[in-house]
Amino acid sequence: MVDKDVYTIVVFPEATEKPKRFQISKKFAKIALYSSLALAVGCGGALTYLTQQYLQSSEEKIELAQLKRTSKIQKVQIEKFGKRVRTFETEMSRLENFEKKLRIITALDKDSKPKDENWGVGGPHGLSSHSIRTALDKEVQAMLDSLEGDLNILTSQAKLRQVSFHELDEFFKNQRSLLASTPSIWPTRGWVTSGFGYRKSPFTGLPEKHEGLDIASRKGSEIRATADGKVITAGRQYGYGNLVEIDHGYGVISRYGHNSKNVVKVGDRVERGDLIALVGNTGRSTGPHVHYEIIVDGIPANPRNYILED
């Protein structure tokens, strides 16, 4: 009698040997078959998944390498750009200081805390290439925005400097003669023994107005013209002893008294820094010095207000 609930398996091991018979139940055979199929399908899916992940990882590595190269290039460019900005700032500062000095000479000037940024990372593969690209883009953009802001400020300052230097240039063109004719240096090297204004007279002990500066120095020290002009006096004058008087034009006259010797004569044209006399003790004097006066439109002015040197 044939059993319908089992399968008979016949195996022929060798040609000379007898066949071998095995019987397994149909239920067990079905379970074994289904299990084998499931295992095959499962292994194939896992292999496919792993293959996809490997390919994706390789692509991301290539993209990350490209991003790193791009980032390095951008940083080098930004550093060069930043160096140019710093050089521009230094030059602008130098020009600004130079302009201030020119304006003095030309007398044109009579609680919030930033929040800390915390980057959160996660996911099955850590920080993705897209996230890194976004971070790099933000960093580069922030640097560029900062540099652009600095350049805008510098550009505005440059425009102001340009206008200011144009103003100075026009002033120099129109007032070059005035500048050269304005006293601005010490007539000799020494020390001030009596200033401009009221003082006690060294001869009478009474108050008197001193209309210049007394600058003590060694006898025979050089006295130089403090600006361009024409000599209008070169000789002895009461109280001044040997006196040199220079007309600078524009209502300005300078006087140099008590000289031991005058080396210029009336009518000579002199320039700022030219030798005009030697320090002495002539006239109403208690020792070697030069009495230096500046007269503006007939009124004595404090010479210190005109001396630009230290």
Side-chain angles (χ1 to χ4, degrees):
M1 181 176 179
V2 179
D3 189 352
K4 296 182 180 180
D5 295 326
V6 298
Y7 289 112
T8 300
I9 300 173
V10 180
V11 179
F12 300 90
E14 296 289 344
T16 58
E17 294 183 7
K18 293 182 178 180
K20 295 181 180 181
R21 297 174 180 273
F22 299 95
Q23 287 185 338
I24 58 174
S25 67
K26 292 182 178 180
K27 184 177 180 180
F28 179 78
K30 290 180 180 180
I31 292 173
L33 178 61
Y34 293 152
S35 297
S36 298
L37 290 173
L39 180 62
V41 172
C43 289
L47 181 61
T48 301
Y49 175 76
L50 291 174
T51 301
Q52 291 175 346
Q53 293 303 312
Y54 173 77
L55 293 175
Q56 182 178 352
S57 177
S58 298
E59 291 176 355
E60 289 185 349
K61 287 182 178 179
I62 294 173
E63 188 173 0
L64 286 174
Q66 293 175 344
L67 286 173
K68 287 180 179 179
R69 285 195 296 271
T70 302
S71 177
K72 287 182 180 179
I73 294 173
Q74 288 176 333
K75 286 185 177 180
V76 170
Q77 292 174 340
I78 289 174
E79 287 175 359
K80 290 182 179 179
F81 191 56
K83 186 176 181 180
R84 291 175 60 189
V85 170
R86 290 190 294 272
T87 301
F88 190 26
E89 288 176 336
T90 301
E91 186 65 15
M92 287 298 301
S93 178
R94 187 185 68 81
L95 290 175
E96 183 177 1
N97 291 333
F98 180 66
E99 179 203 354
K100 288 180 180 178
K101 189 171 183 179
L102 287 177
R103 285 183 172 276
I104 291 175
I105 295 175
T106 58
L108 282 179
D109 288 331
K110 301 221 176 165
D111 225 349
S112 63
K113 182 179 180 182
K115 297 181 179 179
D116 294 332
E117 293 290 344
N118 295 320
W119 291 90
V121 297
H125 306 295
L127 192 63
S128 69
S129 61
H130 174 73
S131 299
I132 292 177
R133 186 191 302 111
T134 301
L136 290 173
D137 288 346
K138 287 183 177 180
E139 179 183 358
V140 171
Q141 188 61 46
M143 296 175 73
L144 290 175
D145 290 344
S146 177
L147 289 173
E148 183 179 0
D150 291 341
L151 277 181
N152 288 336
I153 294 174
L154 289 173
T155 300
S156 298
Q157 291 178 348
K159 289 180 179 179
L160 291 175
R161 294 281 83 76
Q162 184 179 8
V163 172
S164 181
F165 277 112
H166 178 71
E167 179 184 349
L168 288 170
D169 182 59
E170 290 298 319
F171 179 85
F172 285 141
K173 288 178 180 178
N174 298 327
Q175 306 293 334
R176 188 169 298 162
S177 176
L178 174 60
L179 288 174
S181 302
T182 301
S184 60
I185 64 174
W186 290 95
T188 192
R189 287 299 176 182
W191 57 97
V192 176
T193 55
S194 185
F196 178 86
Y198 285 94
R199 67 174 184 177
K200 184 178 180 180
S201 171
F203 300 100
T204 66
L206 299 176
E208 68 175 3
K209 186 176 182 181
H210 189 233
E211 297 180 340
L213 295 180
D214 285 344
I215 307 170
S217 186
R218 292 181 181 274
K219 184 176 181 179
S221 297
E222 295 178 340
I223 300 173
R224 299 187 176 275
T226 57
D228 296 1
K230 181 180 180 180
V231 178
I232 57 174
T233 301
R236 295 190 67 88
Q237 294 286 334
Y238 177 76
Y240 289 99
N242 282 329
L243 173 71
V244 171
E245 193 173 58
I246 300 174
D247 186 353
H248 303 287
Y250 306 97
V252 180
I253 293 174
S254 62
R255 292 174 179 165
Y256 314 79
H258 308 304
N259 310 327
S260 62
K261 180 181 180 181
N262 297 336
V263 298
V264 291
K265 61 183 184 297
V266 175
D268 286 349
R269 300 292 305 183
V270 296
E271 295 182 355
R272 180 184 288 119
D274 284 352
L275 177 64
I276 58 173
L278 301 178
V279 172
N281 188 29
T282 60
R284 194 167 179 253
S285 172
T286 61
H289 74 285
V290 58
H291 175 80
Y292 176 49
E293 290 184 18
I294 291 181
I295 312 298
V296 180
D297 294 330
I299 301 174
N302 189 346
R304 281 189 179 275
N305 295 335
Y306 289 82
I307 298 174
L308 297 180
E309 297 178 321
D310 294 332

